[in-house]
Amino acid sequence: MRPISLLPNETASRIAPLAKLPVFWNLAGKRVVMAGGSDAAAWKTELLLACGAAVDLYCEMTELGDAMIALLDRASLRHHAQPWSCGVFSGAAMALADCDDEAEAQAFFCAARAAGVPVNVIDKPEYCQFQFGSIVNRSPIIVSISTDGAAPVLAQAIRQRIETLLPPALKQWAQLAQSLRESINRRLAPGLPRRAFWERFAIRSLTTNEPPPDGAGEALLALTDEMSGQTGSVTLVGAGPGDAELLTLKAMRALQSADVILFDDLVSPEVLELARREAKRFLVGKRGGRESCKQDDINDMMVRFAKAGNRVVRLKSGDPMIFGRAGEEIQLLQQEGIAVDVVPGVTAASAMAAALKTSLTHRDHAQQVRFVTGHSKNHDLPRTIDWASLAKPHQTSIFYMGGRMAGQIEQRLREEGMPADMPVVILSSVSRTTERRWAGRLEDLGATMGRIGVDEPVLIGVGQVFGAAAASRMPTKKTAAPTTNFRTLVG
């Protein structure tokens, strides 16, 4: 079968839609027009002055508020005791105004736009080409929060939360980073060595409330010698069943530090959204009965990217150590001398149990749990499965990738003596917004799966622990579009 394209997955959006584009604008030495002397105008003026802007204030003396009067002694603030006019915009980088009435606001907005100057009329969104957010100031580190005007109080609350998370001394650490950047760029090549240095620097700066000690710069530069020879690595990361909130913190850190991500097609867009924006992404999905990427191609990509000095994340749905070919990949990477690590994920069976609020090892019904693959490399049931053992009572069996084999699973279990009324559940797209559920009896398994179809990944659970679910005939989880309970599909 021809492998899928190994080019980066450019068709999938790397970022969700944005209400506004967040930008950071260099205003140092630039001329800005401010019209109005209110307290709101004074606050914006003070912000502009803090950015190094040269502010021309147009406002008659009688209209100046106390807050603006207090700013008049600033050298970079020039007060013109007169109203604004169309000629004041020439050479300006930005224009702001606090206007009392709609007509003046519209006039200021139109005049600034005609002069080609970006404009903001305070508290009048319809006359704003840009907006100001709530700011956390650790300059040169600046965090800006915007709710697009929907909830300013929420933006303030978020700012306060971030203020408590970022140490005040982060300002001095950022200044140190600024002073070291050119030296680090000369000493360390782009890629893993340079990233490793800055990641270590970031950890140090975010875990202390103290500014850098004397000699910190020299000590940090000494680290470059041990980092210059570093090579790439591969981390096998469990993406879980789909819900991004089920990712571990370690998985998040791996995604945020990756240079290259090789991801399965069962990995949800919500999980990929959390990855480092600059990382190159390659879809290397393998699905039974569909056009897929060959395992040899995936192996070659991991080795090639890692030996080029990249941090490679092999992102697998569920847990990488359960039916994910992780063993083959780890063995190859070790043979090639490439450092490999594994970050476990929530396997689909655990997500199923949580979704159903069913213990897979309820002591009244099951003393063991078995995870069974329902799909072999020959596109059939594996020949080594001990069906007689699976048919015994007091255990729970979870079949992965068993959708196409559901009829055969039912047949083999019944041939080994499992009762026809043994409780069975099917979950499709577990933990996702499109999740669907069916609960019933073993004798209906094959027929039900035929009606459900296998377009989405499914799990099959068999055992007495699912008795309550089967008895209640669970309703379908609500989704954006109306769906039908699986149970109604079998009448």
Side-chain angles (χ1 to χ4, degrees):
M1 186 174 292
R2 183 174 59 85
I4 62 173
S5 171
L6 299 182
L7 294 174
N9 182 31
E10 298 296 346
T11 59
S13 175
R14 294 193 180 193
I15 187 167
L18 290 169
K20 295 290 186 297
L21 177 67
V23 296
F24 292 88
W25 205 333
N26 181 8
L27 289 175
K30 305 290 178 61
R31 178 173 175 266
V32 176
V33 171
M34 172 62 73
S38 65
D39 287 351
W43 164 239
K44 292 295 192 294
T45 299
E46 191 169 3
L47 191 62
L48 294 166
L49 294 173
C51 294
V55 179
D56 279 327
L57 171 64
Y58 293 88
C59 182
E60 295 182 358
M61 288 296 299
T62 56
E63 296 180 0
L64 292 176
D66 292 341
M68 188 67 84
I69 291 173
L71 297 176
L72 292 180
D73 61 350
R74 302 284 186 93
S76 54
L77 174 60
R78 298 184 293 264
H79 178 217
H80 306 270
Q82 62 189 55
W84 68 272
S85 64
C86 291
V88 305
F89 299 104
S90 177
M94 184 182 294
L96 295 91
D98 189 8
C99 301
D100 291 333
D101 59 69
E102 192 80 6
E104 184 184 6
Q106 184 177 24
F108 186 90
F109 177 77
C110 293
R113 287 195 62 187
V117 179
V119 57
N120 175 292
V121 179
I122 299 169
D123 290 336
K124 289 185 169 52
E126 63 273 26
Y127 299 122
C128 293
Q129 290 181 298
F130 62 92
Q131 295 174 343
F132 292 83
S134 295
I135 294 173
V136 178
N137 186 3
R138 302 287 190 275
S139 185
I141 292 174
I142 305 166
V143 181
S144 182
I145 304 106
S146 170
T147 62
D148 195 29
V153 174
L154 177 59
Q156 289 290 334
I158 294 170
R159 182 189 66 78
Q160 292 168 9
R161 180 71 60 88
I162 295 175
E163 287 277 11
T164 65
L165 295 175
L166 298 184
L170 193 59
K171 175 184 178 70
Q172 287 79 18
W173 283 96
Q175 291 170 339
L176 176 60
Q178 212 167 31
S179 69
L180 293 175
R181 180 161 295 280
E182 288 188 11
S183 297
I184 297 303
N185 290 348
R186 288 194 301 268
R187 290 168 177 249
L188 295 176
L192 180 62
R194 194 179 291 178
R195 280 185 56 77
F197 172 86
W198 288 116
E199 285 174 357
R200 187 178 297 190
F201 181 96
I203 291 171
R204 179 74 178 89
S205 63
L206 288 168
T207 54
T208 179
N209 289 323
E210 300 298 326
D214 293 339
E218 291 77 5
L220 288 166
L221 287 174
L223 290 175
T224 58
D225 294 334
E226 65 181 75
M227 293 182 172
S228 59
Q230 289 191 6
T231 58
S233 62
V234 176
T235 304
L236 298 141
V237 175
D243 185 348
E245 292 187 352
L246 295 178
L247 278 179
T248 65
L249 291 176
K250 194 170 185 179
M252 285 276 292
R253 286 195 292 269
L255 288 172
Q256 286 293 316
S257 64
D259 299 306
V260 176
I261 300 173
L262 309 179
F263 65 97
D264 292 341
D265 59 357
L266 291 181
V267 174
S268 69
E270 292 78 14
V271 170
L272 286 172
E273 177 69 21
L274 299 174
R276 179 172 169 249
R277 302 283 178 218
E278 297 80 6
K280 296 180 180 179
R281 306 177 190 197
F282 297 84
L283 173 60
V284 294
K286 298 188 297 296
R287 294 285 295 274
R290 301 185 187 180
E291 187 177 30
S292 299
C293 184
K294 294 179 180 178
Q295 185 62 45
D296 288 343
D297 294 327
I298 299 173
N299 293 345
D300 177 69
M301 293 176 73
M302 287 191 298
V303 171
R304 180 159 44 89
F305 283 125
K307 287 189 173 181
N310 295 290
R311 288 189 175 181
V312 180
V313 164
R314 176 71 175 96
L315 189 60
K316 297 171 175 282
S317 61
D319 183 278
M321 310 303 275
I322 297 179
F323 303 129
R325 299 194 185 181
E328 303 167 37
E329 295 175 354
I330 292 170
Q331 182 179 10
L332 170 71
L333 294 166
Q334 290 176 336
Q335 289 173 351
E336 294 287 341
I338 296 171
V340 58
D341 194 11
V342 179
V343 178
V346 174
T347 189
S350 296
M352 168 193 268
L356 302 180
K357 298 180 176 60
T358 298
S359 170
L360 301 181
T361 55
H362 192 296
R363 62 181 181 176
D364 291 342
H365 303 298
Q367 282 68 57
Q368 60 181 324
V369 178
R370 299 194 180 192
F371 294 167
V372 186
T373 177
H375 183 84
S376 73
K377 61 183 179 182
N378 298 318
H379 306 294
D380 201 351
L381 282 174
R383 298 176 182 176
T384 55
I385 292 178
D386 184 353
W387 291 101
S389 178
L390 288 176
K392 292 180 179 179
H394 308 300
Q395 65 182 339
T396 303
S397 298
I398 309 296
F399 290 87
Y400 287 68
M401 302 171 288
R404 289 180 172 81
M405 301 293 117
Q408 294 186 47
I409 292 171
E410 174 192 336
Q411 179 183 348
R412 296 299 301 271
L413 289 174
R414 294 186 65 181
E415 286 174 351
E416 297 296 337
M418 181 172 278
D421 61 354
M422 177 64 72
V424 174
V425 295
I426 301 172
L427 262 71
S428 169
S429 298
V430 62
S431 87
R432 307 190 186 205
T433 56
T434 55
E435 177 187 297
R436 299 177 71 191
R437 309 171 184 178
W438 172 85
R441 307 194 306 176
L442 177 62
E443 63 182 352
D444 296 324
L445 175 59
T448 301
M449 190 62 73
R451 293 175 172 87
I452 293 170
V454 292
D455 290 336
E456 299 297 327
V458 297
L459 280 181
I460 300 171
V462 181
Q464 291 292 349
V465 297
F466 301 115
S472 64
R473 296 185 178 183
M474 299 169 296
T476 298
K477 184 175 180 179
K478 291 182 179 179
T479 60
T483 59
T484 304
N485 188 321
F486 283 176
R487 187 63 190 173
T488 65
L489 294 176
V490 297

